[in-house]
Amino acid sequence: MRKALSVGRKEVRQILRDRRSLMLLLFVPAFFLLVYGYALNWDIRHVHLAIEDRDRTAASRSIVSAFVNSGYFDLVADVRGPDDITQLMNHGSARAIVVIPNGLSRDLAAGRTVPVQVLLDGDNANTATTVMGYALTILQSESAKYRMVTGTIGGPSVSAVPRVWYNPQLRSTLFLVPGLIAYIVMITSVVSTSLSIVREKERGTMEQVRMAPLDAGSFVLGKSIPYYLISLASALTILFVAMLLFGLPMRGSWLVLLGTISLYLIGALGLGLLVSSIADTQQVAFQVAVLASFLPTLMLSGFIFPIASMPPFLQGVTYIVPARYFLIALRGIVLKGAGLAIIWPQLLSLVAYSCVVLLLASLRLRRQWR
Amino acid sequence: MNAITVSDLTRVFGDFVAVDHVSFDVRKGEVFGFLGSNGAGKSTTIRMLCGLLKPTSGTALVGGIDVSRDPEGVKRRIGYMSQRFSLYEQLTVDQNIRFFGGIYGLTAERLEQRRAFVLDMAGLHGRERTKASDLAGGWRQRLALGCAILHEPPIVFLDEPTGGVDPVSRRQFWTLIDQLAETGITVLVTTHYLDEAEHCHRIAIIHAGRLAALGSTTELKRVFAGRTILEVQSDDPVQAMRALDAMDDVEKTSVFGTAVHAVMRHEAATDTDGLGTRLAGAGVQARHIEPVEPSLEDVFLDVVAEAGA
């Protein structure tokens, strides 16, 4: 144990000497969060909207202002005729155009259904679908208002009133930040541990250390502890930045959160060790580490693509991606305030993952140590 | 009591026999040289003796401990330094010493003592806070040696310790090795510098994985008993060598700088004037011909040629 501490102290000194890498480890993750946090955002706002109001009554203006006040649309043009519509769409200056027919006010008063046309630019199907959703919601709530006022019977008497829990505004940031933490922490810890060990192989210091009466376990433990602490610091930095800038809540227990992150980190460090036992040069180690951490965590963890909609084979693969469990646990703790009683299956899976990876890594490293 | 006893040590990689039934003893306090060309099996042997590599067969006792049974026990009793002077370049002189002291499990006060010793030995007083990468080759080499013997091992292995170091530092380094041996430490050193081998008490010449010769320099030179070496100085050594090779009583020739060494066959006449005349007949003007003592290089070339035959 004392020898492991010697290795750890040496590692810390080496890391401190290498300021550039340390900065990279500590601050690049937070920087990543800023870039991804602002760029990776599925909420669509500031949709350019044009309106052709052929009615020009209080009722039609009420529809226009419902669109403008929703916060999702920016009114950019007032359309005067069909030529305008073609022009606006072709130039891409409007993504959505609402055409309010003549006689809207009159027909509404008479209790007749009035078709309001919404034209959408379908060049980006995702955006178009989302915008259509917004438009429909706005129009429905407007029409509900008129039914109340006119007392018309007809239309559904029972209506669904959705209420979204934990993330009432459905802000995708809240959903993304836990994924980002999983993703960034995985990459930095796997890459940094594997590089630090392979560097010793490359420079021959590994051989010199092997000549000492020091077992592989103490060496690995001593080397891992500093990287564990740095990765933990880096994960917490991301969390704090996310709380400050993106309003990420923290509804669960800090202790459970630290424990969950630690479990995840141990698995990640184990993966780094495994990579270092395979690679003999830093270059190879870097490539393997990025491949082993980056792709699965990004694609197969449920961070971006829902696991439920993957083909069965890929769904099977996701079971060996630790980020899958970490994400559920982290979202649970941070957004829902979930405690151990709820997330224990995830934690158990993380423990299992760490054990398997560490076992494999130690078997391989021990064989090379001899 | 022997510090190292090696019998029939063999290591096979796939179907390549790197070390082939090598046996020798190293006495306590001896400087034992391991001489051989690159790939002869020197490093493989040393790595087995250090417990880094398991022997395929045969035994090696280092400090009385069987390397295959208790490699950890061996590691506690030996120091090892390789040609790469494997220090942590980013760390200072002091930090390197403390790290190696730590993994050898030295207590704090013993570490202080040994640290002073190493700084003394390597001449690094006042440079404790210099980064290892900023040290010149000779200093790094001495620091690496110091780190390797922090735990005061009775046996030290040096694997080509003088590679890439200037001649002055090499000389200083050998003075250090001599001093270590005087305190009773056994040193096993591999080298391919023949002038360095002359510093060793005994030399083992290893060729193609086998022990080709073993003995002190004087003993080794006895392979030339009954054979005279004539040194031929001429303006055209290449031509002289061809002429000599064509003669029946010349066993073999080798170039030494501008001179040619001709090894005469057993019982061959060593008439220098006669040889000069015969060379002149072959169109080579020899400036000077004289019998010389065999050098270690003569021995090495002879032994390797014999072993290869």
Side-chain angles (χ1 to χ4, degrees):
Chain A
M1 193 59 212
R2 254 193 32 169
K3 288 175 183 174
L5 281 181
S6 283
V7 177
R9 199 176 311 128
K10 179 227 69 171
E11 199 63 33
V12 168
R13 285 190 175 129
Q14 267 184 308
I15 297 169
L16 289 179
R17 284 267 166 192
D18 193 0
R19 289 273 153 76
R20 223 174 347 155
S21 306
L22 184 64
M23 292 296 126
L24 231 57
L25 283 175
L26 279 180
F27 296 110
V28 165
F31 177 72
F32 251 47
L33 176 73
L34 293 186
V35 174
Y36 277 85
Y38 283 115
L40 249 187
N41 192 333
W42 291 315
D43 302 342
I44 296 160
R45 282 170 191 277
H46 307 290
V47 178
H48 287 185
L49 172 79
I51 286 183
E52 179 173 12
D53 185 356
R54 296 190 188 150
D55 195 41
R56 300 205 176 265
T57 56
S60 73
R61 275 192 294 276
S62 151
I63 292 178
V64 174
S65 61
F67 270 92
V68 173
N69 294 335
S70 69
Y72 296 113
F73 295 95
D74 288 350
L75 188 59
V76 292
D78 206 7
V79 180
R80 299 263 164 229
D83 291 349
D84 276 8
I85 291 179
T86 325
Q87 177 117 20
L88 283 166
M89 280 294 195
N90 282 350
H91 285 91
S93 23
R95 295 216 131 256
I97 299 173
V98 175
V99 183
I100 302 171
N102 204 351
L104 170 101
S105 182
R106 186 191 58 226
D107 287 356
L108 277 176
R112 278 193 293 270
T113 305
V114 187
V116 171
Q117 189 180 31
V118 180
L119 298 165
L120 294 169
D121 183 346
D123 66 350
N124 182 331
N126 282 338
T127 313
T129 313
T130 315
V131 172
M132 182 157 69
Y134 294 156
L136 285 181
T137 315
I138 293 168
L139 287 173
Q140 265 161 17
S141 69
E142 278 297 297
S143 79
K145 260 196 326 207
Y146 283 101
R147 281 207 188 95
M148 299 277 283
V149 172
T150 55
T152 345
I153 303 166
S157 49
V158 178
S159 67
V161 183
R163 184 175 160 220
V164 180
W165 280 20
Y166 309 124
N167 184 3
Q169 297 124 306
L170 284 176
R171 278 162 45 213
S172 51
T173 326
L174 293 191
F175 166 79
L176 283 175
V177 164
L180 278 173
I181 295 173
Y183 168 73
I184 296 166
V185 164
M186 190 70 175
I187 293 180
T188 52
S189 51
V190 172
V191 168
S192 58
T193 3
S194 58
L195 281 189
S196 89
I197 290 187
V198 174
R199 193 181 303 131
E200 298 225 10
K201 277 198 205 173
E202 250 183 20
R203 302 222 173 126
T205 44
M206 180 95 147
E207 185 173 270
Q208 193 69 49
V209 171
R210 277 168 65 203
M211 289 311 303
L214 173 77
D215 60 304
S218 310
F219 179 69
V220 164
L221 188 67
K223 278 193 91 75
S224 308
I225 291 171
Y227 289 103
Y228 162 75
L229 292 175
I230 291 176
S231 302
L232 191 64
S234 163
L236 291 177
T237 313
I238 302 177
L239 264 176
F240 289 134
V241 170
M243 285 174 186
L244 272 174
L245 295 179
F246 301 113
L248 184 77
M250 172 54 199
R251 302 195 172 111
S253 129
W254 279 99
L255 206 65
V256 175
L257 180 72
L258 274 181
T260 309
I261 296 179
S262 296
L263 270 181
Y264 181 63
L265 278 179
I266 292 169
L269 294 175
L271 185 61
L273 292 177
L274 193 60
V275 169
S276 69
S277 74
I278 293 164
D280 279 323
T281 63
Q282 291 190 63
Q283 221 176 350
V284 174
F286 183 77
Q287 286 168 350
V288 176
V290 168
L291 212 67
S293 57
F294 167 84
L295 283 180
T297 310
L298 188 67
M299 306 289 193
L300 300 176
S301 63
F303 167 25
I304 293 185
F305 308 111
I307 294 174
S309 51
M310 291 176 190
F313 168 70
L314 278 184
Q315 285 200 25
V317 175
T318 61
Y319 285 103
I320 56 165
V321 177
R324 174 202 165 117
Y325 309 107
F326 179 61
L327 264 183
I328 298 174
L330 191 60
R331 281 176 185 154
I333 298 167
V334 172
L335 298 180
K336 305 182 189 170
L340 287 179
I342 295 167
I343 58 167
W344 68 266
Q346 274 70 39
L347 297 188
L348 211 60
S349 305
L350 285 178
V351 171
Y353 177 83
S354 304
C355 288
V356 170
V357 173
L358 283 174
L359 186 74
L360 284 177
S362 67
L363 281 179
R364 283 197 60 95
L365 283 172
R366 220 172 276 269
R367 192 154 9 117
Q368 290 176 3
W369 197 258
R370 281 278 153 268
Chain B
M1 160 83 189
N2 287 324
I4 302 172
T5 308
V6 176
S7 38
D8 285 327
L9 197 65
T10 303
R11 173 71 202 204
V12 181
F13 294 106
D15 48 8
F16 170 66
V17 185
V19 177
D20 191 358
H21 294 88
V22 168
S23 305
F24 61 88
D25 296 325
V26 182
R27 294 175 207 125
K28 195 168 170 296
E30 189 172 33
V31 179
F32 190 89
F34 231 54
L35 197 61
S37 36
N38 290 330
K42 289 173 300 186
S43 291
T44 310
T45 309
I46 273 217
R47 290 163 64 84
M48 282 193 281
L49 295 184
C50 295
L52 274 185
L53 198 65
K54 256 196 175 347
T56 309
S57 67
T59 55
L61 298 178
V62 174
I65 296 172
D66 189 332
V67 292
S68 345
R69 289 230 186 90
D70 184 12
E72 292 307 308
V74 168
K75 285 179 184 176
R76 269 192 292 277
R77 285 168 180 79
I78 60 164
Y80 169 84
M81 175 195 154
S82 76
Q83 53 194 335
R84 301 171 73 171
F85 319 146
S86 312
L87 298 161
Y88 287 94
E89 309 210 332
Q90 297 300 311
L91 300 186
T92 65
V93 169
D94 207 42
Q95 288 167 347
N96 267 293
I97 296 177
R98 287 180 192 287
F99 168 66
F100 283 106
I103 61 171
Y104 275 105
L106 264 55
T107 60
E109 56 192 311
R110 181 131 172 265
L111 180 64
E112 271 321 301
Q113 242 175 333
R114 294 301 290 167
R115 179 178 159 267
F117 167 82
V118 169
L119 291 175
D120 239 15
M121 184 196 83
L124 281 167
H125 273 298
R127 310 193 63 170
E128 292 90 338
R129 296 172 68 86
T130 309
K131 260 166 59 175
S133 57
D134 293 341
L135 293 175
W139 270 293
R140 281 176 57 194
Q141 177 200 39
R142 289 193 292 273
L143 176 60
L145 178 66
C147 289
I149 59 170
L150 268 176
H151 55 304
E152 297 179 84
I155 301 167
V156 178
F157 291 94
L158 305 171
D159 192 5
E160 291 182 16
T162 52
V165 167
D166 64 89
V168 178
S169 301
R170 267 172 62 191
R171 194 168 291 273
Q172 285 180 330
F173 191 73
W174 276 95
T175 314
L176 271 180
I177 293 181
D178 290 340
Q179 285 167 2
L180 285 181
E182 273 163 31
T183 62
I185 293 177
T186 309
V187 180
L188 192 148
V189 55
T190 72
T191 181
H192 46 224
Y193 292 113
L194 292 141
D195 57 325
E196 286 188 349
E198 307 255 11
H199 282 270
C200 302
H201 298 135
R202 283 195 307 152
I203 300 158
I205 296 179
I206 188 160
H207 180 71
R210 293 198 191 162
L211 193 64
L214 174 68
S216 66
T217 19
T218 331
E219 285 163 354
L220 287 175
K221 284 173 185 170
R222 282 200 203 121
V223 297
F224 284 101
R227 293 186 290 172
T228 313
I229 299 173
L230 294 180
E231 186 175 89
V232 180
Q233 297 276 3
S234 68
D235 293 329
D236 190 347
V238 178
Q239 200 57 41
M241 203 162 102
R242 280 201 198 121
L244 286 164
D245 276 334
M247 293 175 191
D248 285 340
D249 51 350
V250 174
E251 187 187 314
K252 61 186 163 197
T253 54
S254 41
V255 177
F256 277 67
T258 59
V260 177
H261 281 194
V263 178
M264 308 305 287
R265 288 194 191 284
H266 280 276
E267 317 304 333
T270 51
D271 172 9
T272 54
D273 292 340
L275 189 69
T277 323
R278 283 192 285 154
L279 277 174
V284 178
Q285 286 304 322
R287 266 187 276 117
H288 185 68
I289 301 176
E290 65 168 347
V292 291
E293 278 292 303
S295 68
L296 199 56
E297 191 164 349
D298 288 307
V299 174
F300 181 71
L301 292 173
D302 188 64
V303 164
V304 164
E306 286 298 308

